[in-house]
């Protein structure tokens, strides 16, 4: 019996990943459609060359399909894809000499700006002026702290996954998050939760 599109869309990542490894093209397409927008958003945060970012994402998925038999059985799919795109863009930067040569991804600057939407804020909690100020605070953070916050609160990755993506140890990733939040808390006087604001930010 043929699986309907609606039923197929309810499959979790591990089910799709396992089916992809077995050569199921629908699973491959479903994962591509599920995460393409997130990968484009994140890729564009690391490079101003948006067409090349899309090429990198296509290359990542091409490699996944070609080398599917050798893929790990148990992965956090979203973290794996984000990390793969980051590494691909880092290699692109090195190859094209957009940044100085490096053996890791430290030379990539996080480019996207946080934007907490005014419409999300109830006037009982904070004024538009305060929200504008919070956006300013967020976007003045060092790039690595801002990227760590983005991965944690917008992409929902764990500290362990962020550490792996940024090629640092767990404590360093935890410190990036802590310092970013500490800097915001020192200045943020609104009563609305910083965590909720970060999770609802658009990029």
């Amino acid at each position: 019996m043929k699986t309907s599109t609606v039923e197929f869309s309810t499959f979790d990542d591990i089910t799709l990943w396992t089916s992809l490894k077995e050569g199921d093209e629908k699973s491959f397409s479903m994962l591509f459609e599920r995460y393409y927008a997130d990968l484009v958003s994140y890729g564009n945060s690391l490079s101003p060359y948006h067409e090349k970012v899309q090429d990198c994402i296509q290359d990542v998925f091409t490699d996944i399909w070609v080398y599917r038999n050798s893929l790990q059985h148990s992965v956090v799919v979203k973290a794996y894809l984000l990390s793969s795109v980051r590494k691909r863009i880092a290699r692109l930067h090195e190859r094209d000499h957009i940044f100085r040569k490096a053996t890791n991804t430290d030379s990539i600057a996080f480019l996207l700006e946080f934007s907490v939407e005014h419409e999300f804020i109830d006037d009982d909690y904070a004024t538009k002026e305060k929200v504008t100020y919070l956006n300013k605070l967020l976007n003045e953070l060092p790039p690595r702290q801002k990227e760590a916050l983005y991965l944690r609160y917008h992409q929902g990755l764990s500290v362990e996954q962020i550490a792996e993506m940024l090629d640092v140890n767990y404590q360093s990733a935890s410190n990036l998050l802590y310092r970013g939040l500490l800097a915001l808390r020192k200045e943020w006087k609104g009563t609305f939760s910083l965590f909720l604001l970060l999770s609802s930010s658009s990029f």
Side-chain angles (χ1 to χ4, degrees):
M1 182 176 178
K2 187 176 181 180
T3 305
S4 69
T5 302
V6 174
E7 291 173 334
F8 201 79
S9 66
T10 64
F11 291 170
D12 61 33
D13 285 356
I14 295 301
T15 299
L16 294 175
W17 185 259
T18 301
S19 296
L20 180 162
K21 282 178 54 62
E22 295 172 352
D24 187 271
E25 293 183 10
K26 288 184 179 179
S27 296
F28 173 80
S29 298
M30 186 65 201
L31 285 175
F32 180 87
E33 293 170 5
R34 181 173 292 179
Y35 289 117
Y36 182 74
D38 282 336
L39 296 175
V40 168
S41 176
Y42 184 53
N44 287 343
S45 79
L46 303 173
S47 172
Y49 304 98
H50 296 172
E51 289 186 2
K52 290 185 177 181
V53 166
Q54 293 181 41
D55 289 342
C56 286
I57 295 170
Q58 295 283 352
D59 289 344
V60 165
F61 275 95
T62 297
D63 284 351
I64 286 174
W65 182 252
V66 171
Y67 301 108
R68 61 188 181 275
N69 291 329
S70 60
L71 295 174
Q72 296 179 17
H73 291 283
S74 179
V75 299
V76 179
V77 175
K78 186 176 188 179
Y80 177 88
L81 292 174
L82 289 168
S83 180
S84 296
V85 168
R86 194 181 205 280
K87 291 174 182 175
R88 179 77 61 168
I89 290 173
R91 290 200 296 270
L92 177 69
H93 286 173
E94 182 177 345
R95 186 191 68 195
D96 291 351
H97 304 285
I98 296 170
F99 292 90
R100 63 180 175 79
K101 274 201 167 186
T103 57
N104 55 39
T105 58
D106 288 346
S107 60
I108 299 180
F110 188 75
L111 305 175
L112 285 189
E113 291 193 354
F114 283 82
S115 178
V116 178
E117 299 297 332
H118 290 166
E119 293 78 4
F120 180 78
I121 306 301
D122 190 305
D123 287 338
D124 291 338
Y125 294 106
T127 64
K128 289 186 177 181
E129 289 77 13
K130 285 184 178 179
V131 175
T132 299
Y133 182 56
L134 177 58
N135 283 331
K136 178 176 181 292
L137 293 175
L138 284 164
N139 291 307
E140 287 178 346
L141 291 174
R144 296 277 277 184
Q145 290 179 18
K146 190 162 66 167
E147 183 175 6
L149 290 173
Y150 168 86
L151 293 171
R152 183 74 180 99
Y153 293 103
H154 188 72
Q155 296 294 354
L157 301 191
S158 68
V159 178
E160 292 90 345
Q161 292 160 358
I162 293 169
E164 183 177 351
M165 284 192 61
L166 300 184
D167 196 24
V168 297
N169 60 35
Y170 178 94
Q171 188 60 52
S172 295
S174 182
N175 288 343
L176 286 172
L177 291 166
Y178 173 76
R179 289 168 185 162
L181 289 172
L182 183 63
L184 296 177
R185 285 171 178 160
K186 283 182 177 179
E187 301 295 335
W188 175 242
K189 307 303 181 185
T191 57
F192 207 80
S193 168
L194 270 175
F195 299 102
L196 187 55
L197 288 172
L198 289 169
S199 300
S200 65
S201 301
S202 61
F203 299 82

